[in-house]
């Protein structure tokens, strides 16, 4: 079973700043089966990135994903007010699993 | 427009049973695998179960294996989760989600808003 760890737990930033979120896996994630989701309070999760680096339909290009093996990163190049939310990574090999999440809040 | 609407959540006693439903619209339902993902109050996301396009293959998290059963009716564009022997730790908002990829390797591109299951005496 692959366990995902996300860091930091909370990231306090201002609009316009760059956000770098980390997701680390306990074992190598095969074929970069790694996705990122955004969730705002009272809303369902929204797919941002799949295959570690492919943006989902309609996702702005300020969101980018990178990494392979056990270390993955979600970068938001310039934070917009609507980007303050919780972000989850997910490995989707056998027995899918989510990380605990990183909250991006307003500094 | 893709829509996934869950129903069936309620308060149930420990040891009880419940059946959740998810009505899908806006896409060809039997072209996609489907999944259930839950979220305990104030907590993160937990994958529960996957089912492939025709219901012939299913997979479960260890935490629900042997107690929950996922199924689908492609004629009704509906996904189901039969939940038996419910425990307090099953209390959560249950989302249905559309799977992308090849079974059992799914990420989730559309999610429903969820239906709340509360297990309490």
């Amino acid at each position: 079973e692959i366990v995902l760890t996300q860091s930091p737990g909370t990231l306090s930033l201002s609009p316009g700043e760059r956000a770098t979120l980390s997701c680390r896996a306990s074992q190598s994630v095969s074929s970069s089966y790694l996705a990122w989701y955004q969730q705002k309070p009272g809303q369902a999760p929204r797919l941002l990135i799949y295959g570690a680096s492919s943006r989902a339909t309609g996702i702005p290009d300020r969101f980018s994903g990178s990494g392979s093996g056990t270390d993955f990163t979600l970068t938001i190049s310039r934070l917009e007010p609507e980007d303050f939310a919780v972000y989850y990574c997910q490995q989707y090999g056998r027995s899918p699993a989510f990380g605990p999440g990183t909250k991006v809040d307003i500094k | 427009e893709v829509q996934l609407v869950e129903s069936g959540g309620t308060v149930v006693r420990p040891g009880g049973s419940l059946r959740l439903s998810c009505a899908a619209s806006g896409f060809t339902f039997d072209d996609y695998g489907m999944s259930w993902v839950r979220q305990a109050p104030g907590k993160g996301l937990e994958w529960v179960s996957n089912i492939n396009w025709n219901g012939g293959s299913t997979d479960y998290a260890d935490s629900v294996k042997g107690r929950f059963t996922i199924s689908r009716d492609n004629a009704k564009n509906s996904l189901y989760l039969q939940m038996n022997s419910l425990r307090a730790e099953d209390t959560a908002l249950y989302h249905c989600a559309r799977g992308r990829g090849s079974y059992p390797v799914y990420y989730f591109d559309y999610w429903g808003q969820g239906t709340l299951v509360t297990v309490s005496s």
Side-chain angles (χ1 to χ4, degrees):
Chain A
E1 177 189 345
I2 298 177
V3 176
L4 299 178
T5 304
Q6 292 187 243
S7 62
T10 301
L11 193 54
S12 296
L13 295 168
S14 300
E17 290 193 294
R18 181 184 188 91
T20 302
L21 287 66
S22 174
C23 176
R24 181 161 290 176
S26 59
Q27 306 169 41
S28 183
V29 176
S30 56
S31 303
S32 294
Y33 288 152
L34 196 287
W36 290 92
Y37 301 87
Q38 176 194 68
Q39 189 177 33
K40 298 178 182 178
Q43 296 186 17
R46 174 193 183 197
L47 175 68
L48 300 175
I49 301 286
Y50 63 94
S53 60
S54 297
R55 266 190 304 277
T57 302
I59 301 304
D61 61 8
R62 64 179 181 273
F63 291 91
S64 63
S66 62
S68 63
T70 60
D71 290 297
F72 298 87
T73 300
L74 175 70
T75 302
I76 311 171
S77 59
R78 289 177 54 86
L79 281 164
E80 297 288 341
E82 62 267 28
D83 298 337
F84 292 92
V86 179
Y87 292 83
Y88 295 95
C89 58
Q90 177 218 354
Q91 67 82 14
Y92 52 97
R94 199 63 193 240
S95 296
F98 292 89
T102 290
K103 183 177 182 180
V104 179
D105 67 13
I106 299 177
K107 189 173 182 180
Chain B
E1 178 193 7
V2 172
Q3 286 198 319
L4 298 169
V5 180
E6 303 90 339
S7 60
T10 189
V11 179
V12 60
R13 293 188 184 277
S17 297
L18 201 58
R19 189 195 198 205
L20 305 184
S21 299
C22 171
S25 60
F27 65 102
T28 304
F29 185 64
D30 57 11
D31 277 350
Y32 293 88
M34 297 293 295
S35 302
W36 289 97
V37 178
R38 68 185 181 184
Q39 188 166 28
K43 303 297 184 182
L45 300 169
E46 180 188 14
W47 169 75
V48 173
S49 184
N50 282 347
I51 189 167
N52 77 331
W53 69 277
N54 67 358
S57 296
T58 59
D59 201 8
Y60 300 92
D62 288 344
S63 58
V64 306
K65 199 171 293 183
R67 301 188 298 123
F68 289 12
T69 302
I70 191 171
S71 62
R72 64 191 294 160
D73 185 337
N74 287 346
K76 294 183 177 179
N77 289 346
S78 293
L79 175 72
Y80 306 103
L81 186 68
Q82 177 66 43
M83 310 165 68
N84 298 332
S85 303
L86 282 160
R87 306 167 179 166
E89 55 265 34
D90 296 319
T91 294
L93 187 66
Y94 284 73
H95 297 275
C96 73
R98 190 175 81 168
R100 295 301 304 273
S102 299
Y103 183 88
V105 178
Y106 289 156
Y107 61 94
F108 310 119
D109 64 345
Y110 286 94
W111 298 63
Q113 290 296 318
T115 187
L116 183 62
V117 174
T118 303
V119 184
S120 174
S121 54

